[in-house]
Amino acid sequence: MKYTRIFLVFLLSAGFAFGQRTVTGVVSDPDGLPLPGATVIIDGTTSGVTTDFDGNYSIAVEEGVSLVFSFVGYESQSVVVGSQNTLNISLSEGNQLSEVVVTALGLEREARSLGYAVTTVGSEEIEQKGVADVARTLTGKVAGVNITNTTSTSGSGTNVIIRGMTSITGSNQPLFVVDGVPFNSSTNGESGSFWNGITESSRFLDLDPNSIEKVDVLKGLNATVLYGQQGRNGVILITTKNGSGARPSAKGTEVTVSHSTFVNEPVLPDYQNDYGGGFHQLFGFFFSNGGPNFDPAINDPRQFGPYYLREDANNVYVKHPYDYIANRSLVEPEFADLVGTEYAYRNYRGVENFFDPGLVNTTSLNLRSSGDNGFFNMSFGRTDDEGFTPNNRLRKTNFGIGGAATLENGIRINGTLNYANTDYTTPPIAASLGSGSVSSYTSSIFGDVMYTPRSVDLMGLPYITSDGRSIYYRSGNDIQNPRWTAENAFDAELINRVFGTFGAAYDINDNWTLAYKYGIDNTSQFSEHAQNKGGVDGNATGIYVTSDEIRTIQNHSFTLSFNDQLDEDWSLTALVGADANRETYTGRGTTNENQLVFGVLKPFNFVSQSANSYDSEQNIYGAFADLSFNYNDYLYLNVTGRQDWSSTMEAENNSLFYKGASLSFIASDVIPALSGDIVNYAKLRVGYGESAGFANPYRTRSLLSLNAKAFDPGSGVIQSNTTSNTLGNEALEPELLSEVEVGIDTRLFNFLNFNVSVYDKNTTNLITTRTLPGSTGFTSTTVNAGKLNVKGVEVDWDANLVNNGDLRWNLYGNFTAEENLIESLGEGVQEFTYTPVVSSSRPQNYAIVGYPLGMMKANVRQTNDAGEFLIDDDGFYIETTEPELVGDPNPDWTAGLTNSISWNGLSLDFTWQYRHGGDMFSQDAATLVGRGVLNPGTVREGLYVLDGVNKNTGQTNTTQITAINYGFDIFSFGPGELQIFDATTIRLSEVNLSYDFPRNLLERTPFGSLTATLTGINLFYDAVNVPDVVNFDSNVLSTGVGNAMGLSFITGPSSRRVGLTLKATF
Amino acid sequence: MKTLNTLKNNILRSIAVLAVLFSLNSCETLELEILESPNALTPASSDIDFYLNAMQLNMASFFNGVKDEGMQLTRMSHLYGPFYENAYSTTQMSGPWNSAYSNIFTDYNNMVPRAAEKGWETHIGIAKFIKAYAMITLVDYLGDVPYSQAALGVENLNPGLDSGASIYDAALALILEAKQHFSVPAQSPSNDLFYGGSRANWSKATGTLELKLRLQRRNAADSNDATAINALIAGAADNLITTSSSDFQFKYGTLNASPDSRHPAFVSNYELAADVNDYMSNAYMAEFVAQKDVVDVRANYYFYRQDDDVTDNDDNEIPCGNERRPSHYALSDIFCYIGYNDVTPSESTSNGYWGRDHGDNDGIPPDGGLRTAWGLYPIGGQFDDGSFTSTSGQDMGLKGAGIQPILLSSYTHFMIAEWSLANGDAETARQFLASGLAESFSKVTGFAAEMGAAGAVEFRSGASVDETAFLGSLTDNINAYIDYVAGTGATSLWNTTDDKMGLLVQEYFLALWGNGVEAYNTFRRTDKPTDLQPLLKTANNDMIQSFFYPRTEVDNNNQLTQKGDHLVKVFWDN
């Protein structure tokens, strides 16, 4: 049991105070740094103590006994107590073989006994990284875990996929378990709109990375069987400092304070500075940057046509854009003083001036007090994360307490209680094809700002009229001024969340333990989507959408565990238990349109209101058993099984049994050749596991849609009801997943740890939201259709290159490759798309039999039988009407490499990440280049002839087109295949330079330790096959959290963060 | 050491504590039957009138979903193209397809049996009319489509095709049944959005739909059709929509939110000031203002000019302004704008009718406040008083209270004219052409009054059209027009043309503004007119004969394979 060992230590350490001799000393690492929390146990007993913060221990013993000193990650050492009173011990590093890791249901197991891979990430890799999202701090640190930011907007959602997607239309996001109970990590869809999902944050954002003790990632199904269907996409086990009994400090109180300040700056494209707005080298107040050169010595007055006024040595002056605004009420009388004035045609650097670096301030405080019978921990965290986009901000406050105690009767209890307040707001950042947004529901700030022509005085021109209307430079005023958007439109989420646990355990005797754990997680979210009246995109009359949501998860689990040495060779650890999980959701929303008074965003200020609601409840409960046999500490067999029942399926299909088994064999303990100087340690493991997937609620019954406000012919609103287009499927069955995992863990040459896992995962009976042919009378249903296979290889390694006292150099790396294949989609179905259509020439993600999930199809160039492109009389490509395959968004492989160098108190570590292959659609790259704000190396004044044959004549094409046409009509808005790029990316994802102030310096201060760290996140990246000037970041996903892949519809700049952290203990 | 007793006590105590904790929510936690969604009603709780409302609204959205394509192909509105083969993707018909099957058909299947139990004959008649209209139109646009196996839900997830001819027969049967339903007094629908409960008008609509169906397949021999058509015409006053009081049209309102009840084209063109979305067709506008020696007053109601002159704008706003006429454009074809001078472009003239040529797929310049917009009729926009000001937003004109003109009285007259002409009776044809024109003019000029907002025919200060002169000469202009086109005089177009059918269909098109369904069908049925503007990029006139099946249908229905190309004809087209 999770706390058993710790509590035994506490419990028993009290009993040795009389009659014996006391031995004291310091336990340290090879560098002499003290190891707080190391255990000192009298061999052959369970009595012992732990070291305090300075590594000191004190234990009462009798002469002649052995003391065993151990600490996670270090080689244990056994010393016989002689006559000395002081025993200073230096533990040697690197022996992770006896490391204890947390597995499913919080069970602690020796790493060597596991038949599957578990990766642990410690707090130092998570805390104070200038990123408030715990998932993002794990990026690239765990083989097999793929983490994608949706955007770099502060607070935006994060996609987490472990070992590939196994469901086409269902969720592939892993289960988060915090302090032993399931944690809501969903992305609540306030807008319900696919294209606007990018504005929504993921609820693991409510965790404070600084309060996390460690994260264990369970990747394979064998590791997650005990979690049932909830664990089918992998489990991220988070142990918070409040919930952690694993590393008690010594008796007394310890306070840790840290504060960091980061600068969050946007990585903008490398804009060109020579040309301004227009088309075909002719000036115009257009949204394209194909106008004349800025230099009056180079340009020609004729290029300015009727706009030309005069020129001096620096600039040409043209008529003011407000002369041309068609809707004169925007301009006159308010801006009449600008009408008729001259406007300098020059480079205003509008985009660069629009964005401002934001500051990210994070403060955290942790207080821990331990005593003989338990501990108490309190944590507080505050983050204020300003985005680089105006009015994008994330504020978080976290407060938590936790503790554990052993009662006099031997019952051990523990509990945590956490409160999180997350306040996030951003201007609308919905997917965009160019100007405006894909969704008619909202505007998009990035879509309107990123390729502002260089000659537009974005920050100088008025952007709002006194009655609140957006005004901009185009005559039709058909682009919403991004400055107006930043001030007048937003999406916001306010979360108040309480989550906690209560646990009780009792050792019936030395072998039997009974335990119960209760978890509650209550998220209350208030979301707003708003835009004042006077805009151009979205609702011009003003819109204010509110949504109140409450999601509650309750979890009970009972376990009875058994642990005994059966005979000389065999020991057994067994567990039986049951758990019940209940999740409820209540959502109430209003949509308010037609704003009365500009600027007031409250329902009373709107003429029309409509309401909506969504409720759901879901119960899942299960019974499980887990048997682990240990033969002589070198052969371990584990067998697990679980039966689940779900409330979301019809009675005949609502339960499923699944099972797992694994074997771990420490070959080096048995085969002497494997424990020499070349191979120091070798473990072979094999595991098999299954899991289930139940449908989401309410998929089995057909519905009637009622519309209380269907239409108003002018005489009052009428109602309608219509049979829902979604067909219920009463025959729906659970889907079944199974996985075989084989691995080897080795230590070589006494400095290199090398672990490999290979897995093969199959899903059958996939629960899939299937598009029905409309002629059936319905448009979609939920069916069991399809088989999907994921195979993969994961490698983790680390090498201790230099270790000579003062200087240490470690390398840590990981490698992931996975291959996903759709084997079947059900009878008669060869393919379908699971993302909505934006426009026929833009790609969608498809599920196609025989291909990996997510293949992108879009319209392409027409070709003749010889494969030559067909060209029309104007010299352009001809687009097909049927989409063709244009790209595979799945990377071939990814890898990470961390260098960690330390010298005395100074340490430097830096992490590289590499993604090889995988295609991405980038509207950003296409339009930025195509609209001429970047210079990718083409000659603007040049003429181009496309390679191909004339469709009508069959002759080789000789028709010339201009560079502007080439950029705009072909590269930017031509067939979708031209906007697909290979997304191979190299990235310097993290650099930390830190200094531990020497202890002797701190002696006269209240500090126990003081560390300063300079951190850089995402300092450099290069998507090598995308035009360099775009500075395209492949770590984006325009469609928000979900199963879409490789789609970037103008997601805004990437974020680079640099900051300083001070951390002190008292 | 613990005694056995304390051990037992502790176990019991802990079990008791746990049991209390668990029982707090155990009942609801263990409930397994949570299958009915709390977020919707069950089909058993449906309301027949609500179903009928849904069907009527779907009739309007179905029609709205097909009308534009028909107008675009017949040059009534602008087609982006650039070629027929890629003018539309295979998703183009998804909307109307799903609207027909998964809304109209499914609701029909659910509603009719329940209405029958109650003897609500009018409800059933309307449902049959709507279903018949949707079926006929699907055949007209797509050819063979699923029918007998359609809308059966789980019973058939892969419906096969029925022949277009057989679906026409089935639709005719529905129409004839509907007529019977309308002949008996019955409970009125709570909301009859078309006729306010008038069974007589429904009966006329049904007769007109029958006429339309039989006329449409006149080239595909059916021996009964001639007799039936003649009988319908003989009793036209009772059988057919002959006056605008029985027009079959869907009327929109002015409410802009919750629910937005305005004409969809009004919303997309007038929602924002100076941000018109659609392009008018140059060739179509020219028919009203440049091709005849008489004034066609409908131009002021159909189109709203935002700018008085195309020629004074720079080339990037009207890119074709510096391009040469394509070699396959005859001099009689409109190119770029009305008044474009090929020989000396700088001497071009323009009257502000700013549209696009057929198949012009150029990017969109900032001309949203310049190009010509939809006018007052039929979408409920602004009357063109020659003020030449950009649209000012959604408070203009009829504020979106327009109509979908599905079967209007003028259409009946044109159909009868065509039938007469096809059967060699040119004089009757001329008379019905003349009366069709009269119906069209009175409908259009009286439209604002019909919608209860006569003031929407508005002459603002600065208008270049003089109110007194315009309204004072309105009747004279209309009569002169009718005389010029279809008069008995020797110089009337009718009497001077060799191609009477071409003239008739051309005039029908001018009356059909807002209804591409009849235009597209009539064009393929008569192969007239023969001189429509060609595609801008090619001389090939491989016009779309039928639309591709929706991609999602082909991908998910194993009984369906996609057509080889866009040249597959529907059964009546030969």
Side-chain angles (χ1 to χ4, degrees), chain B residues 225-465:
Chain B
D225 283 344
T227 319
I229 290 174
N230 288 331
L232 284 169
I233 296 173
D238 294 327
N239 293 335
L240 301 174
I241 299 167
T242 53
T243 60
S244 61
S245 60
S246 49
D247 280 347
F248 184 71
Q249 61 190 9
F250 184 86
K251 284 188 181 184
Y252 290 94
T254 56
L255 193 61
N256 71 349
S258 305
D260 190 339
S261 302
R262 299 168 295 168
H263 194 294
F266 180 87
V267 177
S268 62
N269 288 281
Y270 283 86
E271 185 80 0
L272 295 172
D275 191 15
V276 171
N277 275 345
D278 294 340
Y279 280 105
M280 298 295 110
S281 156
N282 284 333
Y284 191 63
M285 292 191 296
E287 292 293 334
F288 293 90
V289 299
Q291 310 289 53
K292 296 193 180 81
D293 294 332
V294 285
V295 172
D296 188 338
V297 295
R298 289 176 297 190
N300 296 68
Y301 296 84
Y302 282 11
F303 313 114
Y304 178 75
R305 286 170 295 172
Q306 302 191 83
D307 188 33
D308 62 338
D309 189 0
V310 182
T311 61
D312 64 2
N313 289 281
D314 79 69
D315 290 342
N316 279 320
E317 285 173 339
I318 177 109
C320 60
N322 69 351
E323 288 166 12
R324 307 298 300 179
R325 168 185 296 269
S327 56
H328 61 278
Y329 264 46
L331 279 175
S332 58
D333 288 322
I334 300 296
F335 170 70
C336 196
Y337 49 85
I338 300 161
Y340 179 82
N341 186 324
D342 277 288
V343 185
T344 322
S346 59
E347 292 174 13
S348 297
T349 59
S350 150
N351 44 16
Y353 287 98
W354 182 324
R356 276 202 174 190
D357 296 323
H358 193 50
D360 179 352
N361 71 332
D362 266 353
I364 311 295
D367 61 358
L370 298 169
R371 62 175 89 147
T372 302
W374 287 82
L376 176 85
Y377 175 92
I379 69 156
Q382 178 72 24
F383 174 78
D384 185 357
D385 61 355
S387 295
F388 304 115
T389 56
S390 299
T391 58
S392 62
Q394 52 183 283
D395 284 333
M396 291 191 92
L398 286 173
K399 300 184 175 70
I403 57 165
Q404 298 287 3
I406 304 169
L407 293 171
L408 303 186
S409 60
S410 57
Y411 306 175
T412 312
H413 292 253
F414 281 103
M415 284 193 280
I416 295 173
E418 180 193 326
W419 175 251
S420 305
L421 187 61
N423 286 289
D425 186 352
E427 175 53 21
T428 306
R430 186 196 63 75
Q431 289 170 13
F432 275 99
L433 168 60
S435 58
L437 287 171
E439 285 298 312
S440 171
F441 276 104
S442 75
K443 176 76 181 180
V444 173
T445 56
F447 184 62
E450 180 189 343
M451 299 306 286
V457 180
E458 181 191 8
F459 296 82
R460 297 168 290 179
S461 64
S464 63
V465 176

Side-chain angles (χ1 to χ4, degrees), chain A residues 689-973:
Chain A
E690 292 176 349
S691 188
F694 292 113
N696 289 333
Y698 318 126
R699 297 303 167 97
T700 64
R701 306 279 172 95
S702 285
L703 307 170
L704 181 78
S705 306
L706 178 73
N707 189 344
K709 291 185 173 184
F711 186 72
D712 178 3
S715 52
V717 172
I718 66 168
Q719 292 73 38
S720 73
N721 61 219
T722 181
T723 308
S724 165
N725 288 342
T726 305
L727 181 66
N729 180 1
E730 298 205 8
L732 203 60
E733 296 173 15
E735 66 187 15
L736 186 70
L737 293 80
S738 64
E739 178 180 357
V740 176
E741 174 177 345
V742 179
I744 177 165
D745 299 346
T746 59
R747 181 169 172 83
L748 308 168
F749 311 111
N750 285 316
F751 79 95
L752 176 67
N753 291 314
F754 191 79
N755 307 323
V756 184
S757 298
V758 178
Y759 63 89
D760 185 338
K761 184 156 58 163
N762 283 292
T763 317
T764 50
N765 258 358
L766 265 179
I767 294 177
T768 302
T769 303
R770 193 199 136 177
T771 303
L772 285 176
S775 60
T776 58
F778 297 87
T779 54
S780 73
T781 189
T782 311
V783 290
N784 291 108
K787 292 173 67 175
L788 198 143
N789 174 274
V790 187
K791 291 183 179 65
V793 184
E794 292 157 2
V795 180
D796 277 301
W797 59 271
D798 65 79
N800 204 339
L801 294 181
V802 178
N803 189 353
N804 63 358
D806 286 350
L807 181 67
R808 285 194 293 159
W809 179 18
N810 284 299
L811 271 180
Y812 163 80
N814 64 53
F815 170 89
T816 305
E818 68 195 27
E819 199 139 317
N820 175 307
L821 180 71
I822 296 169
E823 294 176 344
S824 153
L825 289 171
E827 203 190 321
V829 179
Q830 278 303 304
E831 64 174 67
F832 62 82
T833 170
Y834 62 90
T835 57
V837 66
V838 190
S839 99
S840 55
S841 56
R842 303 306 195 291
Q844 294 170 264
N845 289 130
Y846 276 72
I848 308 173
V849 174
Y851 286 93
L853 182 63
M855 292 298 289
M856 296 189 280
K857 286 179 94 175
N859 288 2
V860 299
R861 293 165 282 187
Q862 282 190 13
T863 53
N864 62 16
D865 294 340
E868 298 164 304
F869 297 120
L870 295 177
I871 309 288
D872 68 24
D873 288 341
D874 292 343
F876 293 102
Y877 294 122
I878 301 171
E879 194 169 318
T880 57
T881 51
E882 276 291 282
E884 308 281 343
L885 281 179
V886 293
D888 176 357
N890 298 284
D892 299 335
W893 52 272
T894 57
L897 177 67
T898 302
N899 266 284
S900 179
I901 301 162
S902 65
W903 180 70
N904 287 329
L906 203 59
S907 65
L908 170 69
D909 62 71
F910 50 100
T911 302
W912 290 93
Q913 283 175 32
Y914 179 73
R915 161 192 168 132
H916 187 81
D919 296 317
M920 278 199 81
F921 166 79
S922 173
Q923 185 74 54
D924 323 48
T927 21
L928 281 163
V929 172
R931 296 248 183 202
V933 287
L934 305 186
N935 184 1
T938 46
V939 180
R940 271 170 199 256
E941 293 80 5
L943 292 170
Y944 293 78
V945 175
L946 299 179
D947 191 26
V949 296
N950 183 289
K951 185 184 167 94
N952 296 324
T953 64
Q955 302 297 308
T956 300
N957 174 48
T958 55
T959 308
Q960 294 176 325
I961 58 170
T962 64
I964 305 295
N965 280 128
Y966 182 73
F968 187 86
D969 297 306
I970 294 173
F971 193 64
S972 196
F973 292 103

